[in-house]
PDB file of all heavy atoms in Angstrom:
ATOM      1  N   GLN A  80      21.864  43.102   8.915  1.00 70.00           N
ATOM      2  CA  GLN A  80      22.813  43.374   7.846  1.00 70.00           C
ATOM      3  C   GLN A  80      22.145  44.073   6.657  1.00 70.00           C
ATOM      4  O   GLN A  80      22.816  44.663   5.827  1.00 70.00           O
ATOM      5  CB  GLN A  80      23.527  42.095   7.391  1.00 70.00           C
ATOM      6  CG  GLN A  80      22.658  41.080   6.676  1.00 70.00           C
ATOM      7  CD  GLN A  80      21.956  40.107   7.599  1.00 70.00           C
ATOM      8  OE1 GLN A  80      21.619  40.412   8.742  1.00 70.00           O
ATOM      9  NE2 GLN A  80      21.713  38.902   7.109  1.00 70.00           N
ATOM     10  N   ASP A  94       6.791  49.279   5.460  1.00 84.00           N
ATOM     11  CA  ASP A  94       6.296  48.694   4.219  1.00 84.00           C
ATOM     12  C   ASP A  94       7.416  48.310   3.256  1.00 84.00           C
ATOM     13  O   ASP A  94       7.190  47.527   2.345  1.00 84.00           O
ATOM     14  CB  ASP A  94       5.309  49.643   3.538  1.00 84.00           C
ATOM     15  CG  ASP A  94       3.991  49.708   4.278  1.00 84.00           C
ATOM     16  OD1 ASP A  94       3.690  48.784   5.061  1.00 84.00           O
ATOM     17  OD2 ASP A  94       3.246  50.687   4.070  1.00 84.00           O
ATOM     18  N   GLU A 113       8.628  32.130   9.715  1.00 88.00           N
ATOM     19  CA  GLU A 113       9.246  32.788   8.564  1.00 88.00           C
ATOM     20  C   GLU A 113      10.574  32.181   8.140  1.00 88.00           C
ATOM     21  O   GLU A 113      10.792  31.958   6.954  1.00 88.00           O
ATOM     22  CB  GLU A 113       9.465  34.272   8.859  1.00 88.00           C
ATOM     23  CG  GLU A 113       8.244  35.099   8.636  1.00 88.00           C
ATOM     24  CD  GLU A 113       8.567  36.563   8.700  1.00 88.00           C
ATOM     25  OE1 GLU A 113       9.005  37.110   7.690  1.00 88.00           O
ATOM     26  OE2 GLU A 113       8.391  37.138   9.793  1.00 88.00           O
ATOM     27  N   LEU A 134      13.139  49.453  -6.946  1.00 97.00           N
ATOM     28  CA  LEU A 134      12.548  49.708  -8.267  1.00 97.00           C
ATOM     29  C   LEU A 134      11.371  50.664  -8.151  1.00 97.00           C
ATOM     30  O   LEU A 134      11.252  51.626  -8.923  1.00 97.00           O
ATOM     31  CB  LEU A 134      12.073  48.392  -8.902  1.00 97.00           C
ATOM     32  CG  LEU A 134      13.153  47.464  -9.427  1.00 97.00           C
ATOM     33  CD1 LEU A 134      12.556  46.108  -9.778  1.00 97.00           C
ATOM     34  CD2 LEU A 134      13.830  48.072 -10.650  1.00 97.00           C
ATOM     35  N   ALA A 146       9.654  44.623 -11.892  1.00 97.00           N
ATOM     36  CA  ALA A 146       9.499  43.819 -10.678  1.00 97.00           C
ATOM     37  C   ALA A 146       8.926  42.445 -11.026  1.00 97.00           C
ATOM     38  O   ALA A 146       9.364  41.425 -10.482  1.00 97.00           O
ATOM     39  CB  ALA A 146       8.594  44.543  -9.681  1.00 97.00           C
ATOM     40  N   ASN A 151       9.644  36.639 -11.809  1.00 95.00           N
ATOM     41  CA  ASN A 151       9.639  35.489 -12.726  1.00 95.00           C
ATOM     42  C   ASN A 151      11.011  34.829 -12.786  1.00 95.00           C
ATOM     43  O   ASN A 151      11.103  33.606 -12.901  1.00 95.00           O
ATOM     44  CB  ASN A 151       9.175  35.913 -14.119  1.00 95.00           C
ATOM     45  CG  ASN A 151       7.685  36.137 -14.172  1.00 95.00           C
ATOM     46  OD1 ASN A 151       6.933  35.602 -13.372  1.00 95.00           O
ATOM     47  ND2 ASN A 151       7.240  36.951 -15.116  1.00 95.00           N
TER      48      ASN A 151
END
Side-chain angles (χ1 to χ4, degrees):
Q80 68 273 30
D94 288 340
E113 278 190 83
L134 286 169
N151 285 336

